[in-house]
Amino acid sequence: MVDLAEEEMDNPTFRSDTVLSDVHLHCSSKRHLMVRLNAVGQPVFLSYFKLLWSTEDLASGKHVREITTGREHRCRSGDELCDKDRSNIKNERELNSEGVEALLDDDGDLEVVRRPRSASDLEAEDLLRDIVCPVILMKGKEDAFEDEEQECTCSDVVKIEHTMATPLEDVGKQVWRAAFLLADYILFKRDTFRCCSVLELGGGTGITSIVMGTVAKRVYCTDVGEDLLAMCEQNVALNKHLMEPGGGEVKVKELDWLKDEFCTDSEAPYSWSEEEIGDLLDHCSVIMAADVFYDDDLTDALFRTLYRVTHNLKNSCTVYLALEKRLNFTLRHMDVTCEAYSHFRNTLNDLENLQDGKMKYTVEPIKLDFCQFLVYERIEQL
């Protein structure tokens, strides 16, 4: 069954409701990274996401330069290639800073100034891919998962099990850009989150909670669905060594936005104990969510959950929301729109304008000019 799934990953057949993750879009034919099939038969992959700033730097409080490209740390084919590549980058930046004069050929056509390539077409192709996608560190097919113990101790790599294509209801099993964006902000403002108690809504694969766990005291990473939560718990275990230096802890729990209460059934997996609920309500000062605003009904349910939880917190808290505006052509408008984002903004405005005599919500946008610590394309729709 696994062999059949591996073969089909080279030529996958997608249904009309299939959703592809950002990782899949940039990393096709990576079937040798598949580790298993999950409970519903979806291929599960193990990806290595490179931090451009190691956890030792996090612990020591060192500052980091702003990252403009993720290429330099991936140069593995020799110092000569790296030096040439860096020289090309420098030349390109100089051209961009001075401005490139438009040149016309004899026929009056524009001659486009292209970046010189010092490597072969294949090598150059690989180098260019590094700029626009999360870094996938991998070995050959035969030894992709050897030296597991050594891999687990890497202080600048986050290991995440995830799927690459799912139906809409299972998109939490994939990795999305907004999760990287929120992780970047956490690392940039690490002093703000140090020793905090944090709740993540719709944690999915857990990558944002894991990054938060490197600086925060305790993170409750929540979502719904036993299969998804098991995947999230596996990812937390894979990255436990990243959180140990700072004493951080990530707890994976069920939190269904369509229900009014925490799941406290001791027989149910990922349920809450009374002590954990008390700890959350007494100490939580940060709530976060990334890329969970894609369905209007779920958006409404999330804001109801947000309202309910914040009303029961002992202290005031800050909520961090990250998302990507996804533009689609709709027959209703006969135009390119972003209905999910529009509904999110309207609901957010309603929350800010709410006057119930007890709570006051203030909304502030965050400029996206902070440093980038993970390699992904920070597009304008984020």
Side-chain angles (χ1 to χ4, degrees):
M1 183 175 180
V2 174
D3 292 338
L4 177 61
E6 289 180 345
E7 292 174 4
E8 291 178 348
M9 283 309 296
D10 278 346
N11 297 290
T13 301
F14 300 120
R15 301 183 306 173
S16 59
D17 65 341
T18 298
V19 180
L20 301 180
S21 72
D22 301 325
V23 174
H24 184 279
L25 293 175
H26 296 295
C27 301
S28 59
S29 188
K30 300 300 182 186
R31 70 177 189 179
H32 62 284
L33 293 179
M34 194 185 89
V35 292
R36 60 185 171 85
L37 295 176
N38 64 15
V40 293
Q42 296 165 342
V44 175
F45 295 81
L46 180 63
S47 295
Y48 295 63
F49 298 101
K50 179 78 172 178
L51 286 173
L52 302 182
W53 184 17
S54 69
T55 51
E56 282 93 351
D57 293 331
L58 285 174
S60 62
K62 292 181 181 178
H63 294 287
V64 64
R65 61 183 173 83
E66 185 167 358
I67 303 300
T68 56
T69 176
R71 178 176 303 160
E72 183 172 338
H73 74 280
R74 283 292 308 278
C75 293
R76 301 285 178 88
S77 57
D79 293 338
E80 182 178 355
L81 176 60
C82 291
D83 292 338
K84 290 180 180 179
D85 191 49
R86 283 192 286 268
S87 176
N88 289 340
I89 295 173
K90 181 179 179 181
N91 293 336
E92 183 182 29
R93 286 175 179 167
E94 290 175 353
L95 286 172
N96 289 339
S97 62
E98 296 172 2
V100 179
E101 182 180 359
L103 301 176
L104 301 179
D105 62 15
D106 295 337
D107 298 327
D109 297 323
L110 177 65
E111 283 189 341
V112 179
V113 180
R114 300 188 180 278
R115 174 180 176 168
R117 292 189 176 186
S118 58
S120 68
D121 291 342
L122 181 60
E123 290 171 333
E125 215 172 85
D126 289 338
L127 290 172
L128 289 174
R129 284 169 55 125
D130 295 347
I131 301 176
V132 297
C133 67
V135 174
I136 307 296
L137 301 181
M138 61 186 179
K139 302 179 181 179
K141 181 174 181 179
E142 293 78 12
D143 61 350
F145 303 106
E146 290 183 359
D147 303 325
E148 187 72 15
E149 184 175 348
Q150 181 179 353
E151 295 282 7
C152 284
T153 59
C154 292
S155 61
D156 58 352
V157 172
V158 181
K159 299 173 63 176
I160 296 294
E161 286 193 1
H162 63 95
T163 57
M164 288 187 177
T166 64
L168 184 62
E169 61 267 21
D170 285 333
V171 292
K173 298 173 184 176
Q174 301 187 44
V175 182
W176 303 100
R177 287 192 192 96
F180 290 111
L181 181 71
L182 186 52
D184 272 346
Y185 187 74
I186 293 167
L187 294 173
F188 179 67
K189 301 285 287 185
R190 62 197 181 282
D191 290 338
T192 300
F193 303 109
R194 201 177 301 280
C195 299
C196 287
S197 184
V198 181
L199 170 67
E200 180 173 14
L201 301 174
T205 61
I207 186 169
T208 309
S209 283
I210 290 166
V211 171
M212 178 65 86
T214 63
V215 292
K217 178 182 179 181
R218 182 172 294 113
V219 182
Y220 290 97
C221 181
T222 68
D223 215 307
V224 65
E226 185 175 346
D227 193 43
L228 171 58
L229 292 172
M231 176 185 287
C232 183
E233 188 175 53
Q234 168 70 0
N235 288 332
V236 171
L238 286 173
N239 296 280
K240 188 177 181 180
H241 63 285
L242 297 176
M243 297 169 276
E244 287 177 342
E249 177 186 22
V250 176
K251 292 191 173 187
V252 179
K253 297 293 175 181
E254 177 183 323
L255 184 55
D256 191 340
W257 305 340
L258 300 177
K259 298 179 180 179
D260 294 333
E261 301 294 336
F262 292 95
C263 176
T264 56
D265 182 1
S266 59
E267 299 296 323
Y270 309 106
S271 62
W272 297 72
S273 67
E274 294 296 336
E275 291 77 13
E276 289 169 335
I277 295 175
D279 174 64
L280 175 72
L281 299 181
D282 288 344
H283 301 107
C284 181
S285 59
V286 174
I287 299 177
M288 61 181 183
D291 240 335
V292 295
F293 305 101
Y294 56 89
D295 178 88
D296 291 355
D297 292 337
L298 288 179
T299 295
D300 293 339
L302 181 141
F303 275 99
R304 286 195 299 269
T305 299
L306 192 62
Y307 178 83
R308 174 172 56 84
V309 171
T310 53
H311 262 62
N312 290 304
L313 293 180
K314 184 177 180 180
N315 303 305
S316 60
C317 76
T318 305
V319 183
Y320 295 90
L321 305 176
L323 71 157
E324 178 180 339
K325 294 170 62 178
R326 292 180 172 84
L327 303 175
N328 296 288
F329 180 84
T330 61
L331 293 176
R332 184 171 68 173
H333 296 92
M334 293 301 292
D335 197 2
V336 176
T337 63
C338 190
E339 292 186 300
Y341 177 75
S342 298
H343 185 77
F344 159 74
R345 287 308 303 256
N346 291 334
T347 310
L348 188 64
N349 291 336
D350 291 342
L351 185 68
E352 187 176 23
N353 296 328
L354 182 67
Q355 296 181 357
D356 63 357
K358 180 181 179 181
M359 300 290 292
K360 177 176 176 58
Y361 299 89
T362 304
V363 178
E364 297 179 5
I366 295 176
K367 293 183 179 180
L368 303 187
D369 56 357
F370 49 87
C371 299
Q372 188 166 335
F373 301 93
L374 288 156
V375 181
Y376 63 99
E377 188 178 13
R378 194 179 282 187
I379 60 177
E380 62 180 11
Q381 287 78 24
L382 282 174

